[in-house]
Amino acid sequence: MSGNGNAAPTAQEENSPKMRVIRVGTRKSQLARIQTDSVVATLKALYPGLQFEIILSLLLFSSLKRFTLRLFLAWQIGEKSLFTKELEHALEKNEVDLVVHSLKDLPTVLPPGFTIGAVCKRENPYDAVVFHPKFVGKTLETLPEKSVVGTSSLRRAAQLQRKFPHLEFKSIRGNLNTRLRKLDELQEFSAIILAAAGLQRMGWHNRVGQILHPEECMYAVGQGALGVEVRAKDQDILDLVGVLHDPETLLRCIAERAFLRHLEGGCSVPVAVHTTVKDGQLYLTGGVWSLDGSDSLQETMQTTIQVPAQHEDGPEDNPQLVGITARNIPREAQLAAENLGISLAHLLLNKGAKNILDVARQLNDAH
């Protein structure tokens, strides 16, 4: 924790939210700590008179043994992990004031009483290939026939099977450290696919052998961005974290999350996106795939988001859009981004996306 002792408060401190200890919840994994520490460091710089205490999740892998295999498997493929649920429980019980997540891990509909109070500036959203040491210098295209590539993502596997039919894709589980250890030590995988942002945050830039661009593999909704979850009615904390919103990242992620939500997708079906902002236009490309990548639909739409900044006339009855609260970003721009995602989802559904996703979901559930 940090503080200024008995020093007289500065003007910035006097204008800060209530002077108290802000408790920040996070998981114990190295990546989760790095992500949380980065957000806390930014908040400390903005509010030097406040103290921040990081509280670690107590749910360890060994405690999962108390659960049945069925519950554990449900956790593995469900939209929300047990860690997220535990941290939300701590928020609900007022044991922590905010929680830092990878935005892609948060569902598009949050439980009542919670909201995403900040969407931080996005890191590289693309996927990266890490090769076994004996294949360093290769690309997916130049790997030998029948090489095994590890990924925990149906989205990645579906797209890459279609693009690189000479490769075999196999599930690999665990945090980043565990997956890299499996790659290097087990001789089972020629390469693994990971989010570039996670590798960058861990300082493992030297392990990135190839970046997968959208024409090869579009990314997950919200990938590369951090979301700060808070209690929806805790206005002090909402005001405190709201300054962390990155406008471009926010609008891109609102569009992506609206697309996923109205497709009724999730991590159990292959859905992917790509967004860009250029000259006041937000472009959203979205796609759905069958599990083996043989069937797919993909479209692009755009909308204008150049809206003059203005103050809200008054509080909204429901300020959330796809689980996100951002009062300091023009509402019109947020609604335009949400409508873009909804419109693209409707376009794909009208072209048959529901059938592709239903079949993919049934096949995945059968496993």
Side-chain angles (χ1 to χ4, degrees), residues 12-316:
Q12 183 178 10
E13 290 169 4
E14 289 176 345
N15 292 330
S16 297
K18 292 180 181 178
M19 308 286 260
R20 58 177 168 128
V21 175
I22 306 300
R23 300 155 301 167
V24 184
T26 185
R27 292 167 52 184
K28 282 193 172 183
S29 77
Q30 185 181 359
L31 179 58
R33 280 302 309 268
I34 288 172
Q35 292 177 165
T36 299
D37 288 347
S38 71
V39 170
V40 169
T42 303
L43 288 172
K44 282 181 176 180
L46 290 167
Y47 305 109
L50 294 181
Q51 295 181 331
F52 294 86
E53 178 184 2
I54 294 177
I55 298 176
L56 301 180
S57 165
L58 298 178
L59 183 59
L60 301 175
F61 184 86
S62 59
S63 70
L64 293 174
K65 294 177 181 177
R66 295 195 299 266
F67 293 85
T68 65
L69 177 61
R70 183 176 178 183
L71 282 176
F72 179 67
L73 290 174
W75 165 58
Q76 289 277 37
I77 65 172
E79 277 195 78
K80 295 179 64 180
S81 72
L82 293 177
F83 294 103
T84 302
K85 290 181 180 179
E86 185 200 12
L87 289 167
E88 286 179 340
H89 180 74
L91 267 177
E92 183 179 25
K93 297 298 182 184
N94 201 33
E95 295 169 355
V96 298
D97 299 301
L98 58 99
V99 178
V100 179
H101 301 277
S102 293
L103 186 61
K104 68 183 179 65
D105 295 336
L106 287 174
T108 57
V109 179
L110 298 183
F114 303 107
T115 189
I116 299 166
V119 176
C120 305
K121 185 173 178 61
R122 192 174 216 163
E123 297 273 358
N124 184 343
Y126 299 137
D127 289 316
V129 187
V130 179
F131 292 93
H132 187 279
K134 69 181 179 182
F135 291 118
V136 169
K138 294 280 191 181
T139 65
L140 290 182
E141 188 172 7
T142 60
L143 278 176
E145 190 84 13
K146 302 296 184 183
S147 292
V148 177
V149 178
T151 175
S152 61
S153 163
L154 297 176
R155 168 189 59 82
R156 293 169 181 149
Q159 293 180 80
L160 294 174
Q161 284 179 96
R162 185 185 182 100
K163 186 75 175 178
F164 305 102
H166 69 292
L167 301 177
E168 296 181 0
F169 293 87
K170 183 177 179 180
S171 178
I172 184 171
R173 293 287 180 182
N175 58 33
L176 289 185
N177 307 67
T178 300
R179 294 184 203 186
L180 283 174
R181 187 169 61 252
K182 288 179 179 179
L183 171 67
D184 293 339
E185 298 178 3
L186 295 185
Q187 307 297 319
E188 182 179 1
F189 300 99
S190 299
I192 59 176
I193 315 295
L194 300 167
L199 290 166
Q200 290 174 350
R201 289 174 181 138
M202 295 285 280
W204 293 339
H205 310 76
N206 64 323
R207 291 305 306 264
V208 176
Q210 180 181 0
I211 294 292
L212 297 176
H213 295 286
E215 60 272 14
E216 298 168 310
C217 186
M218 292 198 297
Y219 44 80
V221 166
Q223 184 161 312
L226 299 180
V228 181
E229 188 177 17
V230 302
R231 290 179 291 274
K233 294 184 178 180
D234 192 338
Q235 195 57 51
D236 283 347
I237 299 299
L238 274 168
D239 290 342
L240 184 144
V241 303
V243 297
L244 299 177
H245 274 305
D246 177 71
E248 180 176 314
T249 301
L250 171 75
L251 296 175
R252 289 171 64 187
C253 289
I254 285 177
E256 294 170 14
R257 287 169 64 83
F259 172 70
L260 180 65
R261 179 173 179 174
H262 286 270
L263 277 180
E264 297 183 354
C267 59
S268 63
V269 290
V271 175
V273 295
H274 175 243
T275 50
T276 56
V277 174
K278 184 177 180 181
D279 298 329
Q281 296 288 307
L282 172 59
Y283 297 85
L284 170 63
T285 301
V288 300
W289 287 261
S290 59
L291 289 187
D292 64 1
S294 61
D295 198 5
S296 68
L297 282 171
Q298 187 174 315
E299 293 289 347
T300 300
M301 296 182 72
Q302 68 189 81
T303 191
T304 300
I305 56 169
Q306 268 190 338
V307 181
Q310 57 182 312
H311 297 291
E312 300 287 349
D313 293 328
E316 298 274 348

